[in-house]
Amino acid sequence: MKIFSAEQIRRWDAFTISHEPVSSIQLMERASEALAGWISENCKNHKKIALFCGNGNNGGDGFAVARILYMKGFDVDIFVKYTKGKFSEDASVNVKRLRDLSGISVREFKEADQYNFDAKTVVIDALFGTGLSRPLEGIFKELVEVLNEENCIKISIDLTSGLPADHMPENGAAIFKADYTLSFQSWKKSFLHPETGKYTGKVIILDIGLHSGYLQTETTPDFVINEKLVDTIFKPREDFSHKGTYGKVTIAGGSFGKMGAAVLATQSALKTGAGLTFTLAPRCGYEILQISCPEAMFTEGGNEFITNFETENETVYGIGPGLGTHEETRRALLDFLKESTKPLVLDADALNIISKDPENLKLIPELSVITPHPKEFERLFGSTENSFERLKLAREKAAELNIYIVLKDHHTQIVSPDGNVFYNITGNAGLAKGGSGDILTGILTSLIAQGYSQEDACILGVWLHGRAADLAAGKYSKESMLPTDVINTFGSVFEELNRRNGVKL
């Protein structure tokens, strides 16, 4: 799914109006019906609606939603800056339509202090949406600060008021804190970054039938990974195939006291379909790996930590889980990278070793995949002020080094050498545990070994990792789920993928 900027979405509206054709007020009604439909279905036990409307088209949506919800049986109160204020052309049309409904009261913002916000109230923010390009000021700032203190369900239309769609807000800016954001047709970048996404709550994308011709022709470097994209990538397993069909993986990792990381990466590679899986680890992990991963073969690379990386052209390496940063391991890894020409996957301590000297970055084979979390990224490339700046730097480094960077976060971002970014929206806070990254290393290495391109492996792998985590959280809870629970749920995700691709199980 393409991510469009606020300006691109405005052009999409205009394109729809001119090409469908449809009038702007008809398009507003279409959007409002979708909004009211979702609210009425999901807020059945909250019959009291307090709608805060601005003077522009976001407020126009709010006025139309108020009318539709009232007709559906909700008690609706509308708040505006001034009851006799001027509104946009389309908003004015919906204000006039309200006059025929005597049951809806229209009050001014200053009266919100006397309003009874109780547990049955739904507060709807229709103040600005994407129509504001500066921080909230004056009465709007004061209103949002008051509403944020109320303990009731809060819904924003299109975009939480005060939040920019495409970049960081100013420090100290007043921003409405929604429980749900009901947006139209396309994700916005601010939904997907930690500093801004915390204001949006759960994001619901509503299809309001904007013209498909614009979607097909308008370009963007930003995408959301959805099931449609994943289904175009996934390759069902061939009946007439053998272990050699699905590649050879070598997970290189583990050290005394850290063998669990190598176990998780190895199990993950096995569970995601690698044909042959080897684990290169120190002798101290031999029994652990042979017992916990009997389907994998063991290659000794040292005693208590790895001191030797065997060069094998017919395998795809995933290096780093539990590796440690011992001096002999460091030298061995750097020597290995100097001789390596095939793409590989680098994570965890492999990245920590590389980060000790900026010149080491040049040793990473082109088209390799690195999977840093924010701190590892900072060690590799330097600090940034926020996640938007971090992503900008990642784009620069991916292009410079000709590698794929998987920026692990709540919404992990895959950055390709050509500048495209794919945001993942599966996964949950249950992955905030040691070992979750080791699983991802195993997945990516396995998929590349099976013949997926690096970009496709990253897209499918990160989505699969998150989807399995969502299923595991549903069964065990985010608090109690373990990385091993995620691995054991891969099978359910593959069942979904095969079923959607028409494969009989």
Side-chain angles (χ1 to χ4, degrees):
M1 177 187 289
K2 293 179 178 179
I3 299 173
F4 289 141
S5 67
E7 177 56 34
Q8 286 176 305
I9 293 171
R10 279 191 282 272
R11 294 203 300 267
W12 198 356
D13 286 344
F15 185 95
T16 302
I17 290 168
S18 63
H19 284 72
E20 190 165 334
V22 62
S23 69
S24 58
I25 190 65
Q26 287 172 330
L27 188 59
M28 181 177 284
E29 188 71 9
R30 189 190 297 175
S32 300
E33 287 174 354
L35 290 163
W38 189 94
I39 294 167
S40 63
E41 179 64 27
N42 292 276
C43 301
K44 294 175 180 177
N45 298 322
H46 300 76
K47 288 295 183 181
K48 187 176 172 184
I49 306 291
L51 245 154
F52 292 81
C53 297
N55 291 30
N57 283 351
N58 195 248
D61 290 334
F63 294 129
V65 167
R67 168 172 44 84
I68 298 168
L69 289 178
Y70 176 77
M71 298 300 290
K72 289 177 177 286
F74 287 85
D75 296 326
V76 181
D77 293 292
I78 297 174
F79 292 83
V80 295
K81 184 178 180 181
Y82 300 119
T83 55
K84 297 183 179 180
K86 292 184 178 180
F87 300 94
S88 70
E89 183 178 346
D90 288 344
S92 295
V93 171
N94 277 315
V95 170
K96 291 176 183 177
R97 290 174 175 174
L98 285 172
R99 290 175 180 168
D100 296 330
L101 303 176
S102 59
I104 299 179
S105 67
V106 180
R107 313 180 189 188
E108 295 190 349
F109 291 158
K110 60 186 179 182
E111 299 180 63
D113 287 340
Q114 288 78 48
Y115 189 79
N116 180 27
F117 295 97
D118 57 28
K120 293 292 184 180
T121 304
V122 177
V123 171
I124 299 178
D125 158 35
L127 294 171
F128 290 104
T130 59
L132 187 70
S133 58
R134 63 184 185 280
L136 295 177
E137 298 173 342
I139 193 170
F140 291 103
K141 180 176 184 292
E142 294 170 7
L143 175 66
V144 163
E145 289 173 344
V146 168
L147 293 178
N148 283 343
E149 294 300 315
E150 296 297 337
N151 185 25
C152 52
I153 291 178
K154 303 183 186 75
I155 297 173
S156 283
I157 292 177
D158 197 24
L159 180 68
T160 50
S161 291
L163 183 68
D166 309 310
H167 56 82
M168 281 285 293
E170 292 185 9
N171 288 333
I175 300 170
F176 186 80
K177 295 180 180 178
D179 297 297
Y180 299 91
T181 296
L182 309 184
S183 199
F184 306 127
Q185 216 72 45
S186 169
W187 285 76
K188 297 172 177 65
K189 289 178 74 172
S190 59
F191 296 166
L192 297 160
H193 286 258
E195 301 93 340
T196 49
K198 64 184 179 182
Y199 295 103
T200 65
K202 183 176 177 61
V203 174
I204 308 296
I205 304 298
L206 300 174
D207 186 345
I208 60 170
L210 294 183
H211 201 287
S212 60
Y214 184 90
L215 178 63
Q216 293 165 7
T217 58
E218 183 71 7
T219 60
T220 175
D222 300 308
F223 303 85
V224 162
I225 302 171
N226 59 6
E227 289 183 0
K228 184 177 180 181
L229 175 59
V230 167
D231 287 346
T232 65
I233 292 171
F234 175 63
K235 303 173 185 176
R237 217 161 175 88
E238 296 288 343
D239 288 337
F240 292 93
S241 58
H242 52 83
K243 61 186 178 184
T245 307
Y246 301 106
K248 182 178 176 181
V249 164
T250 297
I251 299 297
S255 56
F256 185 81
K258 297 180 180 179
M259 291 310 304
V263 168
L264 290 172
T266 301
Q267 289 179 341
S268 183
L270 290 164
K271 279 279 193 176
T272 48
L276 286 168
T277 302
F278 290 76
T279 308
L280 172 64
R283 174 179 286 273
C284 65
Y286 173 74
E287 288 85 358
I288 295 170
L289 282 156
Q290 290 292 82
I291 293 170
S292 60
C293 308
E295 300 89 349
M297 289 160 277
F298 181 85
T299 303
E300 183 180 326
N303 289 318
E304 294 193 346
F305 45 83
I306 293 177
T307 58
N308 177 56
F309 291 84
E310 293 187 0
T311 303
E312 166 78 62
N313 289 328
E314 299 304 317
T315 193
V316 177
Y317 284 89
I319 305 176
L323 185 67
T325 57
H326 191 279
E327 177 59 23
E328 289 185 57
T329 304
R330 184 191 70 83
R331 287 199 301 267
L333 175 61
L334 297 180
D335 287 343
F336 172 79
L337 292 176
K338 290 173 185 176
E339 300 298 323
S340 297
T341 57
K342 287 186 63 178
L344 42 76
V345 180
L346 296 168
D347 181 37
D349 283 332
L351 299 179
N352 292 329
I353 288 171
I354 290 170
S355 70
K356 299 298 182 182
D357 185 343
E359 290 298 308
N360 292 338
L361 291 167
K362 298 176 183 177
L363 300 178
I364 301 174
E366 290 191 354
L367 302 179
S368 289
V369 177
I370 67 172
T371 62
H373 59 56
K375 279 295 182 183
E376 290 167 343
F377 182 87
E378 182 177 326
R379 294 183 200 118
L380 287 165
F381 302 117
S383 61
T384 53
E385 291 187 5
N386 54 64
S387 66
F388 287 86
E389 292 297 317
R390 183 169 67 234
L391 180 57
K392 179 182 176 183
L393 179 58
R395 272 190 160 116
E396 294 170 1
K397 293 302 180 181
E400 176 188 325
L401 299 170
N402 196 23
I403 60 174
Y404 291 85
I405 300 177
V406 177
L407 279 172
K408 292 185 287 197
D409 211 328
H410 178 63
H411 293 302
T412 292
Q413 300 128 52
I414 298 160
V415 187
S416 68
D418 60 7
N420 287 333
V421 174
F422 300 86
Y423 290 83
N424 185 52
I425 55 173
T426 59
N428 58 75
L431 287 171
K433 293 184 174 74
S436 296
D438 304 316
I439 293 173
L440 183 59
T441 298
I443 296 172
L444 298 179
T445 310
S446 172
L447 294 177
I448 294 171
Q450 291 174 61
Y452 288 92
S453 70
Q454 283 84 338
E455 182 167 289
D456 285 352
C458 289
I459 293 169
L460 175 58
V462 170
W463 178 88
L464 188 154
H465 185 232
R467 177 60 182 149
D470 289 338
L471 294 177
K475 185 173 183 180
Y476 301 105
S477 81
K478 296 175 186 177
E479 291 79 8
S480 292
M481 61 181 273
L482 296 173
T484 46
D485 296 325
V486 177
I487 293 172
N488 291 330
T489 311
F490 288 162
S492 297
V493 181
F494 281 115
E495 285 180 0
E496 288 182 3
L497 286 167
N498 279 291
R499 193 176 300 112
R500 291 205 303 268
N501 279 270
V503 178
K504 295 181 179 179
L505 302 176

